[in-house]
C-alpha cells in the first residue's frame, strides 16, 4: 500500500495544546471511514498497458462516474491520476449537495436571456436530483440525506437580497424555500451573528469519502484499470487516435477525458489557463455530546452564509461532531496553521462551542473559473468537465454521465454549460497568485452591501 501522510499532535507546538484533541490529524475527516487503501487501486503502480479505448485523466468523481458508465457499456477504460486514487477533492470536500452557482437567475437573464438562465438552473436541478437518484439506484451507502440547507444572512441588507433572489428563482424555475425571520434564527442555529435567513428544503448532504470509495469499487468491478501516481504530461493527436504521455510511459487511446478540476496541472496548458485553483479549508471538532449538537444545530442541516467567501457548517453524518469550513483562498498549503483561526470563527458563530478542540483539519483544491460557471466540452478532440466552483458533487456526477454518453453517442449528451466561450485572462498560466486579493475584494464588497 502506498505511504499515507498524516500529521498528529506529536509534532505540534505546546501553544496549540488546547486547540487539538489527542487524536488530531491533519487529514480529511472522511478518510477515517474511507482511507486511501489498496482496495482503491492504490497498490504500487506498474507500467501502463499500451492502449485503452478511453483514457481518463483524474480519478475524482467526474472521472470515475464517466469510467463506470463507459466500462459497463463494454469500453476498455484506464483512469490515470497524478496522486493516490481518492487524494483529490472528491474525498476532501464538505459533502454539501446543492444547486450552487454564484450567478443568480436574474443576473444570467439580463446578460444571456431568460430562456438561457432557466436552462442553467434546470440543469443544476437535474444534477442535484441526478446524484440522489444515482446513489439510490446504485445502493451507495454514503449517508445521503435530504437535510435541507439554512442560508444565514450576514446583515439586514444581505437578508433582503437573499429573499429577493430566492423569490425570483422560485418564480422562474419553481424552487421552494421558506423565510426564517431574525427572531427565529435560533430554531435553526444557536447564533446571534445572523439577521434572518432561508431554508432550501430539498438540498442534501453526503459522506464524500464513502461516495467516492464506492465509485472506485464499482469502477474496479466493471473492469476499469486504475493507475495512481501517474502524471499526464501531454496528449499527442494521430490519425488513428491519441497518445497520452505520462510519467509512467505512453498509452494510446481512441478517446481522452480530462477530469482534473482544481488539480489541473500546468502541462494541460489550454485548460490550466482557464481553471483557477484555490484552496478550501475544513476543520472537524472533537466528539461532542448529542445535547451539544441538539443545542447548536437542532435541525442538523447544512449551513452557510450570504457572503461571497462563505463560512459553512454541517454535522458529521453520525452527528458526532461539527465540521466547519472557511478562509477559502488563503495562501497556505497546509491546514494546521489555520486551524486556530478557523476554530475562532466557528466559536464566534456558535459560542456554545467555546473551548472545543479539533480532531481534524485539512485542505484541498477547488476550481473557480473567470465566468463563475462550470464547463463541459471538447478541445482538440479531448473531452473535459471541470470548473465546478464548489458544486462538484452533483455536477461531477452529472458531467461524468454526460461525457460517457458523448463518447458512447447515446442518450442525452446536451448541456447548457457546453459553450464556446471558456474565458481566460492575459498572462494567467494556472498560478492563482491573485486569489487571496480577490477574496479580500469579495470581503470588502460584502461589507459594502451589509452597510446597505
Ligand atoms: C475543502 C473543499 C470543500 C468542498 N466542498 C464541496 C461541497 O460541499 N459540495 C460540492 O459539491 N463540492 C465541494 N467541493 C468541490 C468538490 O470537491 C469538487 O468539485 C469535486 O471533487 C469535483 O472534482 P473531481 O472529483 O472531478 O476531481 P478531484 O477529486 O479534484 O480529482 C482531480 C484529480 O485530477 C488529478 N490530476 C490533475 N492533473 C493531473 C495530471 N496531469 N495527470 C494525472 N492526474 C491529474 C489530481 O491528482 C486529482 O486527483 C469542495 C472542495 C474542497 C477542496
Amino acid at each position: 500500500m502506498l505511504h499515507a501522510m498524516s500529521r498528529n499532535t506529536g509534532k505540534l507546538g505546546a501553544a496549540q495544546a488546547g486547540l487539538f484533541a489527542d487524536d488530531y490529524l491533519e487529514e480529511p475527516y472522511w478518510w477515517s471511514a474511507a482511507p486511501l487503501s489498496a482496495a482503491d487501486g492504490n497498490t504500487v503502480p506498474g507500467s501502463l498497458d499500451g492502449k485503452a479505448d478511453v483514457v481518463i485523466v483524474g480519478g475524482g468523481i467526474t472521472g470515475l462516474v464517466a469510467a463506470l458508465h463507459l466500462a459497463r457499456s463494454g469500453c476498455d477504460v484506464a483512469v490515470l491520476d497524478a496522486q493516490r486514487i481518492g487524494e483529490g477533492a472528491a474525498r476532501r470536500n464538505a459533502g454539501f449537495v446543492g444547486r450552487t452557482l454564484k450567478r443568480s437567475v436574474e443576473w444570467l437573464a439580463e446578460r444571456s436571456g431568460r430562456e438561457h438562465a432557466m436552462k442553467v438552473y434546470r440543469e443544476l436541478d437535474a444534477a442535484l436530483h441526478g446524484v440522489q437518484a444515482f446513489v439510490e439506484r446504485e445502493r451507495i451507502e454514503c449517508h445521503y440525506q435530504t437535510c435541507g440547507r439554512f442560508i444565514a444572512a450576514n446583515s439586514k441588507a444581505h437578508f433582503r437580497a437573499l429573499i429577493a433572489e430566492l423569490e425570483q428563482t422560485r418564480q422562474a424555475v419553481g424552487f421552494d424555500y421558506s423565510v426564517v425571520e431574525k427572531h427565529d434564527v435560533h430554531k435553526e442555529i444557536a447564533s446571534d451573528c445572523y439577521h434572518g435567513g432561508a431554508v432550501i428544503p430539498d438540498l442534501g448532504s453526503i459522506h464524500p469519502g464513502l461516495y467516492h470509495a464506492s465509485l472506485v469499487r464499482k469502477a474496479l468491478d466493471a473492469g476499469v484499470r486504475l493507475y495512481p501516481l501517474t502524471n499526464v504530461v501531454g496528449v499527442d493527436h494521430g490519425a488513428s487516435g491519441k497518445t497520452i504521455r505520462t510519467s509512467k510511459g505512453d498509452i494510446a487511446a481512441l478517446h481522452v477525458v480530462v477530469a482534473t478540476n482544481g488539480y489541473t496541472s500546468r502541462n494541460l496548458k489550454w485548460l490550466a489557463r482557464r481553471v483557477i485553483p484555490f484552496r478550501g479549508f475544513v476543520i472537524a471538532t472533537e466528539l461532542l455530546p448529542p445535547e451539544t449538537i441538539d443545542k447548536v444545530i437542532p435541525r442538523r442541516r447544512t449551513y452557510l452564509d450570504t457572503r461571497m467567501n462563505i463560512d459553512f457548517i454541517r454535522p458529521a453524518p453520525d452527528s458526532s461532531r461539527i465540521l466547519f469550513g472557511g478562509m477559502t483562498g488563503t495562501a497556505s498549503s497546509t491546514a494546521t496553521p489555520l486551524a486556530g483561526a478557523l476554530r475562532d470563527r466557528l466559536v464566534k458563530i456558535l459560542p456554545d462551542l467555546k473551548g472545543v478542540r479539533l480532531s481534524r483539519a485539512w485542505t484541498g483544491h477547488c476550481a473557480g473559473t473567470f465566468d463563475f460557471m462550470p464547463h463541459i466540452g471538447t478541445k482538440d478532440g479531448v473531452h473535459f468537465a471541470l470548473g465546478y466552483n464548489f458544486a462538484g458533487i452533483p455536477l461531477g456526477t452529472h458531467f461524468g454521465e454526460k461525457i460517457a454518453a458523448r463518447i458512447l453517442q447515446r442518450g442525452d449528451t446536451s448541456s447548457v454549460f457546453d459553450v464556446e466561450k471558456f474565458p481566460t485572462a492575459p498572462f494567467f498560466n494556472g498560478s492563482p497568485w491573485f486569489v487571496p486579493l480577490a477574496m479580500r475584494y469579495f470581503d470588502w464588497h460584502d461589507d459594502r452591501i451589509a452597510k446597505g
Side-chain angles (χ1 to χ4, degrees):
M1 201 178 101
L2 298 175
H3 179 63
M5 285 181 298
S6 299
R7 195 145 26 118
N8 62 25
T9 41
K11 292 183 185 157
L12 297 168
Q16 293 168 320
L19 178 58
F20 298 110
D22 293 341
D23 63 346
Y24 174 76
L25 289 174
E26 182 171 325
E27 69 170 34
Y29 169 70
W30 316 115
W31 290 11
S32 304
L36 311 186
S37 67
D40 294 315
N42 282 317
T43 46
V44 177
S47 59
L48 284 175
D49 285 348
K51 62 183 168 69
D53 294 330
V54 184
V55 162
I56 297 179
V57 187
I61 298 168
T62 318
L64 287 178
V65 170
L68 177 62
H69 287 292
L70 288 163
R72 283 182 181 169
S73 296
C75 296
D76 175 22
V77 184
V79 175
L80 320 182
D81 200 297
Q83 305 181 86
R84 291 175 291 170
I85 303 295
E87 201 165 0
R91 288 194 204 182
R92 291 176 181 272
N93 63 64
F96 287 42
V97 187
R99 288 180 286 256
T100 308
L101 192 71
K102 291 286 184 197
R103 300 303 193 198
S104 68
V105 170
E106 285 308 300
W107 192 97
L108 291 169
E110 272 170 31
R111 282 148 189 92
S112 0
R114 188 150 296 274
E115 183 72 9
H116 177 78
M118 285 163 65
K119 274 192 190 160
V120 165
Y121 271 79
R122 288 206 182 109
E123 190 162 339
L124 291 174
D125 193 46
L128 165 69
H129 293 292
V131 69
Q132 190 178 359
F134 180 67
V135 163
E136 274 169 26
R137 198 168 62 240
E138 295 285 336
R139 298 175 198 277
I140 297 178
E141 290 183 9
C142 60
H143 301 276
Y144 190 102
Q145 290 176 48
T146 307
C147 52
R149 180 178 299 177
F150 178 63
I151 306 178
N154 296 80
S155 70
K156 281 184 197 163
H158 277 226
F159 178 66
R160 285 193 297 275
L162 169 70
I163 303 306
E165 184 181 327
L166 289 173
E167 182 53 26
Q168 283 160 353
T169 312
R170 193 187 64 75
Q171 285 181 21
V173 275
F175 302 160
D176 197 13
Y177 71 98
S178 59
V179 177
V180 178
E181 297 291 347
K182 185 172 182 184
H183 54 82
D184 283 332
V185 163
H186 273 246
K187 291 182 186 159
E188 293 290 339
I189 184 165
S191 179
D192 292 327
C193 292
Y194 303 119
H195 296 253
V199 171
I200 320 271
D202 62 339
L203 305 190
S205 65
I206 63 167
H207 185 306
L210 293 177
Y211 181 52
H212 184 262
S214 178
L215 292 178
V216 172
R217 267 194 311 280
K218 286 175 188 290
L220 287 169
D221 287 350
V224 172
R225 288 180 279 141
L226 300 180
Y227 295 93
L229 305 186
T230 305
N231 185 28
V232 172
V233 295
V235 180
D236 296 332
H237 305 270
S240 58
K242 302 173 197 322
T243 303
I244 298 89
R245 287 179 285 111
T246 86
S247 55
K248 296 271 155 51
D250 293 352
I251 179 167
L254 297 174
H255 305 276
V256 179
V257 177
V258 176
T260 48
N261 203 45
Y263 292 82
T264 304
S265 53
R266 291 227 203 129
N267 44 34
L268 300 169
K269 287 179 190 141
W270 189 84
L271 286 168
R273 291 207 58 227
R274 281 154 179 84
V275 173
I276 309 162
F278 59 91
R279 283 186 177 274
F281 299 90
V282 188
I283 53 173
T285 67
E286 62 191 325
L287 276 173
L288 295 172
E291 312 83 77
T292 304
I293 306 273
D294 280 340
K295 183 161 186 212
V296 297
I297 45 170
R299 298 199 167 141
R300 292 168 159 74
R301 303 189 194 278
T302 56
Y303 305 81
L304 47 79
D305 62 27
T306 46
R307 294 174 319 119
M308 273 294 272
N309 191 3
I310 55 170
D311 287 331
F312 49 95
I313 297 174
R314 62 164 289 180
D318 64 357
S319 285
S320 63
R321 58 191 89 217
I322 284 180
L323 276 53
F324 172 77
M327 301 178 72
T328 305
T330 304
S332 172
S333 58
T334 56
T336 297
L338 300 189
L342 285 164
R343 199 235 346 226
D344 290 349
R345 284 181 91 99
L346 172 62
V347 171
K348 193 171 169 205
I349 296 167
L350 296 173
D352 290 301
L353 296 185
K354 188 167 182 229
V356 74
R357 294 183 306 161
L358 306 182
S359 60
R360 297 287 185 279
W362 72 94
T363 178
H365 293 241
C366 312
T369 50
F370 287 99
D371 58 3
F372 293 92
M373 301 296 275
H375 286 264
I376 179 171
T378 313
K379 170 71 180 165
D380 297 334
V382 171
H383 297 273
F384 63 83
L386 32 64
Y388 295 130
N389 291 278
F390 256 114
I393 300 170
L395 283 173
T397 307
H398 179 70
F399 284 173
E401 285 183 22
K402 288 270 175 210
I403 285 194
R406 287 172 177 204
I407 290 171
L408 296 166
Q409 296 185 341
R410 108 173 43 133
D412 181 6
T413 59
S414 67
S415 171
V416 69
F417 299 108
D418 189 347
V419 289
E420 231 170 80
K421 211 170 159 207
F422 191 166
T424 180
F427 309 116
F428 177 65
N429 65 358
S431 167
W433 59 268
F434 52 87
V435 167
L437 293 176
M439 291 301 177
R440 260 190 256 155
Y441 166 76
F442 292 144
D443 289 344
W444 171 81
H445 185 257
D446 283 329
D447 288 347
R448 212 169 52 110
I449 296 176
K451 283 175 191 145

